[in-house]
Amino acid sequence: GAVVSQHPSRVICKSGTSVKIECRSLDFQATTMFWYRQFPKQSLMLMATSNEGSKATYEQGVEKDKFLINHASLTLSTLTVTSAHPEDSSFYICSANPGQGYEQYFGPGTRLTVT
Amino acid sequence: GQQVMQIPQYQHVQEGEDFTTYCNSSTTLSNIQWYKQRPGGHPVFLIQLVKSGEVKKQKRLTFQFGEAKKNSSLHITATQTTDVGTYFCAPGAQKLVFGQGTRLTINP
């Protein structure tokens, strides 16, 4: 099956700093990728749709200036959490579809802890 | 967007017992996908249902889509410890809106 990677897998940062998370499709190209966040023992909440070569589409209630998304190539989308605060601590997961089926392939996730 | 309710939120069973999770919508769904997330892992696609009344089987897993396409279920026969995890339903195609999930734990 298709492979999606994320980097880093874990990151700890201080309050007020910014953190960049990468999502890569390793064996396919993806014009669209999706970013989710998941709090412990909760469901995945869709944050935004990352569109290659154009602006991301954010879900209602997600601050676009807080969560910057860049999809500069067909295999890479980045999510930058700006001016991170402890409440931003969460599990961030990306997904992509190779285009040959309907299932989403998820990255392994990035656990962000803001101290 | 399409919203779904999943029940139960938690289910604990003895190994070998059956397990069922239900996914309900107030609106008609065009399709629904099911995913499994192991503890500490990421969601993995299980299946997509599209047709009214559709039933699909994967070994011990049976997936159903209601006649009205407003509900779906996942039934696991004779659970094994490898079935532990959270099962999510998600209507949509590429852009998925996940249900709350049902967390399955198993007593070996």
Side-chain angles (χ1 to χ4, degrees):
Chain A
V3 179
V4 176
S5 71
Q6 273 185 250
H7 178 80
S9 57
R10 290 177 180 270
V11 58
I12 301 173
C13 71
K14 293 186 176 180
S15 188
T17 61
S18 295
V19 174
K20 180 184 285 188
I21 302 170
E22 294 184 349
C23 176
R24 292 183 185 273
S25 54
L26 297 185
D27 51 0
F28 66 97
Q29 294 182 332
T31 56
T32 304
M33 292 183 176
F34 300 90
W35 285 97
Y36 297 82
R37 67 186 296 181
Q38 184 178 35
F39 292 108
K41 297 184 178 181
Q42 293 191 21
S43 185
L44 289 86
M45 184 195 81
L46 179 64
M47 298 176 66
T49 303
S50 175
N51 304 299
E52 189 268 334
S54 64
K55 292 182 179 180
T57 307
Y58 290 83
E59 295 300 303
Q60 190 173 8
V62 178
E63 300 176 56
K64 62 180 181 181
D65 295 330
K66 171 82 174 168
F67 300 99
L68 300 179
I69 291 173
N70 184 276
H71 195 151
S73 80
L74 287 170
T75 58
L76 173 63
S77 174
T78 60
L79 168 67
T80 301
V81 183
T82 63
S83 187
H85 291 284
E87 55 265 32
D88 298 324
S89 298
S90 187
F91 193 49
Y92 292 87
I93 313 177
C94 66
S95 74
N97 177 282
Q100 296 177 355
Y102 32 70
E103 64 264 39
Q104 287 288 314
Y105 289 89
F106 286 81
T110 297
R111 189 162 302 282
L112 169 64
T113 304
V114 185
T115 61
Chain B
Q2 296 174 320
Q3 302 278 346
V4 290
M5 292 291 293
Q6 247 184 288
I7 54 171
Q9 191 174 0
Y10 302 97
Q11 185 78 59
H12 181 77
V13 300
Q14 288 288 128
E15 187 175 15
E17 291 182 339
D18 293 355
F19 159 77
T20 305
T21 172
Y22 300 91
C23 185
N24 300 307
S25 171
S26 59
T27 60
T28 301
L29 304 172
S30 56
N31 67 293
I32 194 156
Q33 298 185 20
W34 284 91
Y35 288 79
K36 175 184 178 181
Q37 185 178 24
R38 293 180 183 272
H42 59 277
V44 175
F45 174 81
L46 294 177
I47 209 151
Q48 172 168 277
L49 303 172
V50 179
K51 299 177 182 177
S52 169
E54 190 170 16
V55 178
K56 287 187 176 180
K57 292 190 175 184
Q58 292 178 352
K59 298 183 180 179
R60 294 178 294 103
L61 277 61
T62 302
F63 303 85
Q64 293 190 348
F65 203 8
E67 293 289 344
K69 300 181 71 173
K70 288 185 176 182
N71 53 70
S72 181
S73 66
L74 158 59
H75 179 83
I76 302 178
T77 304
T79 55
Q80 299 175 0
T81 54
T82 53
D83 296 325
V84 165
T86 302
Y87 293 84
F88 293 99
C89 63
Q94 292 209 19
K95 181 177 171 180
L96 301 174
V97 179
F98 283 80
Q100 302 94 322
T102 296
R103 179 182 296 253
L104 173 63
T105 54
I106 298 174
N107 207 21

